[in-house]
Every structure is written in structure tokens, then in C-alpha cells.
Amino acid sequence: MSPLAYGVLRQVTPTAAVLLAENPGVMTLDGTNTWVLRAPGSASCVVVDPGPADAAHLARLAAQAPVEVVLLTHGHPDHSEGAREFGRQVDAPVRSVDPAFRLGGLGLDEGDVIEAAGLSIRVLPTPGHTADSVCFQLDDAVLTGDTVLGRGTTVVAHPDGRLGDYLASLRLLAALPAGTVGLPGHGPELPDLVAAANGYLAHREQRLAQVKAAVAELGGAPTARQVVERVYADVDRSLWEPAEWSVRAQLEYLRDA
């Protein structure tokens, strides 16, 4: 995505537009995708993942008011840091799985359907990246947060994230109708979320086999860093620290298998 996309609300589907936060980085790719949802003709909207506490970004979002509700896919700061302040600015409740990020008291639970801005938004519990991760299902797309990214793969943020949970969440997304559009928390939209989720599952199975082989070769109880040095030798070292989180999750998964 071009840097020229910063500050511009871009319509992606008939009901979803994206405003890219200017917080690019190793973990955030081009930046955080803040999604603005509304049915065609609706005066109000729903905002998903307001992103960092960036005054300019939040002001651009506030220009989309009235906002009926703010939703969080999970509590990592690049998605949630600005949420409560934004909710106050536009006088809208903030709903999340984790009570720490809520404004107005309501949470998010499996099977919840949020009726707002002319839309029915279904909550899909998808823990794994973090314990509090959820996706949001619209008629024409699914907002995936960091469960599935628009480019590359995501991290299982151990110890909060657990690999067994993550694999189950990927299988849930892989079982959606073929051609479901994915609207991720980072990176470009995915024309076929089911294909992306199946690709993620294959990648995780491959990595898990590599980790298992590395443990056998190293012997004893190798550290996560020792495993990373073998399995992720071809990966940029700037990614080794988050890779360690995933390896710890994989080692725990193998111990519990």
C-alpha cells in the first residue's frame, strides 16, 4: 500500500472503508487498518480498531461521526491505544473482550450480533494471536484483526496467545464460504479469506514440524532462541524476537500434545 494512502478513507466493499494509521513498522506492516463500517445510505457508522493514540488519525475518524459503537479485535496498543479517547470524542461506547479497554460497560461474547449503522455484525471468537482476539463477520466480508494479515503471517503472542487456540481459529475461518473477503488489521484486503486461512494452517504445520525436528537435533530442552536460530535462520533478525513468542507457543503445544 502506498504511503499516499495515509489520511485517506478508502472504500473497500459496499459496507467497509479503511483509514490507514500512520504507524508503519516491523509488526504493523504499513500501519494499522482502522475500519469504518456502514450500510449504504446510513448516516452513522461503526469504527473497528481506532488504532494508536494519534491525534490526527483520531480526528479524521471523528469526521465520520455519528459513530454508534467502537469495536476492538483485540487489545494490542496498535489497535486499542486510541479507543477510549476516541469513544469519548464521538460519544460512543467501546466494546471489547477485555474489560480494560471498554467504555460504557458492554463486552463482546461469542455469538453476539451487533446491530448498528444498518448492519448486523456477528462476533466470531478467534483466540490464538491473543486470548482476547475476535473477528467480525459482515454479510460480504470478515474483519480479521491480527488473526489473519493481509501480507505475511501473524505471531502467536505467547504466553497470552496459544497455538492450539490459534489453529482452531484458523479452522473456523477456513470453514467460511469460499470467496469470503478478508479485511485484516494490517496489510491489504484478502479476496479469499478461506484460501488465506488454509495457507496459514499449512504454514503452521510446516513450522511445527521444523520446530519438532530442531528440538530432536538439539537434544535436551533447548531454549526458544536456540530453536529460532535453526528454524528461522533465513528470516530477518529483526523478526527473531516475535518469532521467539511463536516458538514458545509451539514448544508448549508439543509438550501438551
Side-chain angles (χ1 to χ4, degrees):
M1 201 177 282
S2 166
L4 295 176
Y6 293 124
V8 177
L9 185 69
R10 180 173 63 88
Q11 198 71 37
V12 177
T13 75
T15 59
V18 65
L19 186 67
L20 179 61
E22 200 164 352
N23 62 333
V26 170
M27 299 293 289
T28 58
L29 305 181
D30 305 299
T32 300
N33 290 331
T34 296
W35 292 96
V36 178
L37 312 178
R38 54 164 54 94
S42 173
S44 61
C45 69
V46 174
V47 170
V48 178
D49 290 350
D54 179 284
H57 181 66
L58 297 183
R60 293 183 190 110
L61 279 177
Q64 302 302 313
V67 178
E68 289 194 42
V69 64
V70 178
L71 305 176
L72 294 180
T73 60
H74 65 296
H76 278 166
D78 54 312
H79 295 256
S80 68
E81 186 183 46
R84 287 170 62 87
E85 174 58 30
F86 177 69
R88 294 187 188 99
Q89 285 182 27
V90 297
D91 192 26
V94 178
R95 298 184 62 174
S96 66
V97 172
D98 189 334
F101 303 102
R102 297 175 191 167
L103 184 66
L106 287 175
L108 293 171
D109 294 306
E110 179 176 358
D112 280 354
V113 178
I114 299 155
E115 303 283 351
L119 301 171
S120 295
I121 304 168
R122 183 175 297 278
V123 178
L124 302 179
T126 50
H129 170 66
T130 61
D132 66 338
S133 288
V134 294
C135 293
F136 298 111
Q137 186 176 22
L138 305 170
D139 287 340
D140 57 355
V142 173
L143 285 77
T144 60
D146 284 359
T147 299
V148 175
L149 303 179
R151 185 172 70 248
T153 56
T154 196
V155 169
V156 178
H158 184 272
D160 184 46
R162 297 175 63 88
L163 182 58
D165 290 341
Y166 187 58
L167 294 174
S169 295
L170 291 177
R171 293 186 189 106
L172 173 68
L173 297 179
L176 292 170
T180 297
V181 174
L183 306 177
H186 304 281
E189 55 271 16
L190 299 161
D192 190 342
L193 175 57
V194 171
N198 279 315
Y200 266 44
L201 282 166
H203 172 77
R204 289 292 167 183
E205 290 171 3
Q206 180 187 45
R207 282 295 192 211
L208 196 59
Q210 291 171 334
V211 168
K212 190 173 183 179
V215 169
E217 292 167 6
L218 289 164
T223 65
R225 175 50 66 104
Q226 288 174 316
V227 174
V228 166
E229 289 172 354
R230 287 209 173 203
V231 175
Y232 292 81
D234 59 341
V235 173
D236 191 297
R237 288 190 174 219
S238 66
L239 295 171
W240 277 17
E241 182 178 356
E244 280 192 59
W245 303 339
S246 285
V247 166
R248 289 191 187 103
Q250 289 166 321
L251 292 173
E252 179 183 68
Y253 181 82
L254 289 171
R255 284 195 300 268
D256 294 344

